[in-house]
Amino acid sequence: MEYTRSQLMDQIAVLSRLFDEVFVVDAGASRRLDLETMQPTETVESVPDLDNNGRAWRPLYGQNDGSMALYWSVLLEHRPCVLVAVYTLPEQLNMGSREASALSRMLTQCHSEMCRDYVTGVYNRSFLDAEFRDRVAKAAAAGEAVSVAMVRVNEYARLCRTESVAAADRCLTTAAGILSLAVGPEQENTPLVRLEDGVFLVVGIGTDAKSLEHRLRDAMDSARRTFSITLARRGEFTATVVSADWAETGSWDWMVSLAEQRLGG
């Protein structure tokens, strides 16, 4: 549906009577829009995949009160945007009824599944964007070391092209296992995240870039990097590891971008 700015403001006013928060986001940039200036402001969670009607819903990360968000695609003066409405159910979830308990379990399961990569089981980019932008900024402001490392499985694209997606996924799963051991069981400050295709990212809070990079490279170099291509054939993969430090860039986006540039170079 297409709106003028005035029409959308009226729609938001109506929805605000039903929802706790209503706002508009630029889905591509994952940023909230200021409707007065049409300029992006703070970062928000990435928009989930919309259905054929341009709609979606999901529980929100980091919420223990049953918050969920509804999404609608709209055109704001010919600009594609997404209208987001957030609804919170604290009283209903605390009543202790069978229905409330069932809803609470469903939301907990959704939280868990939606923050994980379906192939490797490690965290996904949605979790990264939702959980770590603010945490990293606060850690850096407090004077803690902050860094990221990226690990690319070099054979992933070729395996998808010449073998099968299943073989490429088995390769990624092996790589994820090696990296998980290197990161350790406690991933509160060093989460392992799968980005697009064959690339993983590790955030290091309290760890400088070089130490994090060496730790992951040593883990890859010392591990058996073999996986099953088919039942009869096995393959071995190689990995490229790079890193970037908050001190080099001063922001989350630029730090990640710098690591991507080094990985591409």
Side-chain angles (χ1 to χ4, degrees), residues 19 25 47 49 56 71 109-110 141 165-166 177 214 236 239-240 242 246 249:
F19 294 92
V25 302
V47 174
D49 293 335
Y71 300 82
Q109 183 176 354
C110 284
V165 173
H214 291 159
E236 184 171 355
T240 300
V242 300
W246 181 277
T249 60

Side-chain angles (χ1 to χ4, degrees), residues 146-215:
V146 175
S147 60
V148 294
M150 284 190 178
V151 182
R152 181 181 64 218
V153 176
N154 297 319
E155 289 74 16
Y156 178 79
R158 179 182 60 79
L159 287 167
C160 288
R161 186 176 62 254
T162 63
E163 296 292 346
S164 67
V165 173
D169 286 349
R170 286 192 290 271
C171 177
L172 277 191
T173 300
T174 300
I178 296 170
L179 293 172
S180 293
L181 289 175
V183 168
E186 298 297 330
Q187 293 197 23
E188 180 179 354
N189 290 324
T190 52
L192 172 62
V193 180
R194 182 191 172 190
L195 302 182
E196 291 73 23
D197 299 326
V199 178
F200 295 91
L201 181 143
V202 177
V203 182
I205 296 179
T207 306
D208 65 89
K210 289 302 179 184
S211 296
L212 183 61
E213 180 179 334
H214 291 159
R215 180 178 170 186

Side-chain angles (χ1 to χ4, degrees), residues 71-248:
Y71 300 82
W72 298 270
S73 63
V74 298
L75 285 175
L76 177 54
E77 297 179 347
H78 309 296
R79 179 177 180 176
C81 303
V82 175
L83 183 62
V84 184
V86 179
Y87 186 52
T88 306
L89 306 166
E91 294 182 2
Q92 290 89 330
L93 291 181
N94 289 326
M95 287 191 303
S97 67
R98 183 175 62 182
E99 293 80 5
S101 297
L103 178 58
S104 180
R105 288 195 301 271
M106 181 195 73
L107 292 176
T108 299
Q109 183 176 354
C110 284
H111 279 136
S112 177
E113 291 180 355
M114 292 174 66
C115 72
R116 295 285 181 177
D117 171 49
Y118 70 95
V119 173
T120 62
V122 303
Y123 290 119
N124 59 22
R125 184 183 281 276
S126 294
F127 169 84
L128 182 70
D129 291 339
E131 291 289 333
F132 270 85
R133 285 178 179 270
D134 290 341
R135 189 182 301 184
V136 163
K138 290 177 182 177
E144 292 187 69
V146 175
S147 60
V148 294
M150 284 190 178
V151 182
R152 181 181 64 218
V153 176
N154 297 319
E155 289 74 16
Y156 178 79
R158 179 182 60 79
L159 287 167
C160 288
R161 186 176 62 254
T162 63
E163 296 292 346
S164 67
V165 173
D169 286 349
R170 286 192 290 271
C171 177
L172 277 191
T173 300
T174 300
I178 296 170
L179 293 172
S180 293
L181 289 175
V183 168
E186 298 297 330
Q187 293 197 23
E188 180 179 354
N189 290 324
T190 52
L192 172 62
V193 180
R194 182 191 172 190
L195 302 182
E196 291 73 23
D197 299 326
V199 178
F200 295 91
L201 181 143
V202 177
V203 182
I205 296 179
T207 306
D208 65 89
K210 289 302 179 184
S211 296
L212 183 61
E213 180 179 334
H214 291 159
R215 180 178 170 186
L216 299 179
R217 182 176 286 114
D218 289 346
M220 280 293 180
D221 289 344
S222 61
R224 293 185 59 191
R225 301 184 304 277
T226 58
F227 63 98
S228 297
I229 297 176
T230 67
L231 291 176
R233 289 191 298 133
R234 296 183 66 80
E236 184 171 355
F237 68 89
T238 61
T240 300
V241 185
V242 300
S243 63
D245 201 287
W246 181 277
E248 299 178 274

